[in-house]
Amino acid sequence: MINENHDILIIPDLLPKSYQDEIEREMTSLQFPWFYKHSVSGHPSAPEVFENDPNIKARDALVHLFYAEDINHASSHLNLVKPITYFLEQHIDATVEHLLRMRAVLTYRDPSWNQQHYLTPHVDQQAPHWTMIYYVNDCDGPTHFYEDMYDNDTNYDKRTILSSHTPKKGTGVLFNGLRYHGNSVGNEKNRVVINMNFHLNFNYNAATPGEVI
């Protein structure tokens, strides 16, 4: 059961196969708008980030912001992905109470990328929340989850990897949003994910199929 103490839940086939295919088809079509973002997981100006962990690399990517509460933004493509949160509720003992942000990230493949390297470990929001990563496609660039939790400090110590997960289409990974996370870059395939941040209400009663780690 997912809760504050067991906060990483891997949910294979979060969505029906036909819906998985629709999302991938739409988001990889020529009609879907992507926007360039420099250093997608942050490029801190403090040199301590890289001095303490030589495996950290900066990388540009393409993003699409579906929704952001803080700037009152909603994309015309939000309806394509908003139901993902409803399917999540069928797999956990909670309801998605308050959506904060939902965005897609496309990291272009790089055959020269050293898989010992990874992008900057980070958290998406600095206040308590939950995060889910939905994998739009299969990819060889893993997501890394760290033992370290954000605790309102600005230290740049090296983070300790707790577990890693290779993206598989249709899988959702739910975790405490204050847990540091990051990812590598695929050597063979583009990496397309949807990242969402929200609050959960744990008063809901439902089954919890999936692997809790």
Side-chain angles (χ1 to χ4, degrees):
M1 180 179 296
I2 190 76
N3 56 47
E4 288 82 354
N5 297 317
H6 302 281
D7 68 287
I8 304 177
L9 176 66
I10 299 171
I11 310 172
D13 290 321
L14 174 68
L15 309 178
K17 182 64 165 57
S18 58
Y19 188 22
Q20 296 176 27
D21 292 342
E22 179 181 356
I23 289 175
E24 182 179 25
R25 183 172 58 250
E26 292 294 325
M27 291 182 61
T28 56
S29 73
L30 293 177
Q31 289 74 39
F32 191 82
W34 291 99
F35 302 89
Y36 173 81
K37 180 170 176 56
H38 174 64
S39 192
V40 65
S41 63
H43 189 179
S45 58
E48 294 90 342
V49 172
F50 303 99
E51 291 172 0
N52 288 343
D53 190 346
N55 288 330
I56 291 177
K57 302 295 179 184
R59 178 64 189 260
D60 301 345
L62 300 176
V63 302
H64 180 95
L65 186 62
F66 289 109
Y67 178 81
E69 181 189 56
D70 59 342
I71 59 173
N72 194 30
H73 170 81
S75 160
S76 60
H77 296 269
L78 178 61
N79 287 341
L80 173 67
V81 298
K82 180 63 164 59
I84 293 174
T85 61
Y86 308 142
F87 282 95
L88 172 63
E89 292 179 348
Q90 295 183 328
H91 293 270
I92 61 173
D93 56 337
T95 54
V96 177
E97 188 174 62
H98 185 188
L99 183 63
L100 301 170
R101 190 184 73 167
M102 182 180 288
R103 75 170 183 171
V105 179
L106 189 161
T107 310
Y108 202 76
R109 63 185 178 273
D110 183 350
S112 67
W113 182 270
N114 184 337
Q115 288 299 331
Q116 298 301 311
H117 294 152
Y118 39 76
L119 306 185
T120 312
H122 64 281
V123 296
D124 299 338
Q125 312 255 342
Q126 296 181 351
H129 68 287
W130 288 83
T131 293
M132 187 171 75
I133 298 172
Y134 172 78
Y135 297 122
V136 175
N137 67 328
D138 294 328
C139 177
D140 53 318
T143 303
H144 304 298
F145 299 98
Y146 295 83
E147 293 181 2
D148 313 82
M149 306 291 287
Y150 178 81
D151 58 0
N152 298 312
D153 62 20
T154 55
N155 80 77
Y156 299 112
D157 294 343
K158 183 177 180 180
R159 312 298 176 191
T160 301
I161 292 179
L162 172 66
S163 62
S164 299
H165 187 258
T166 300
K168 181 172 176 53
K169 176 180 172 178
T171 297
V173 184
L174 175 68
F175 57 99
N176 186 326
L178 296 182
R179 181 175 296 283
Y180 280 97
H181 62 283
N183 63 275
S184 294
V185 173
N187 295 131
E188 300 178 0
K189 295 183 178 181
N190 298 337
R191 185 180 193 275
V192 187
V193 304
I194 300 172
N195 178 289
M196 52 202 84
N197 311 120
F198 42 71
H199 294 154
L200 289 177
N201 183 336
F202 283 95
N203 294 325
Y204 188 66
N205 212 0
T208 311
E211 178 187 0
V212 180
I213 59 176

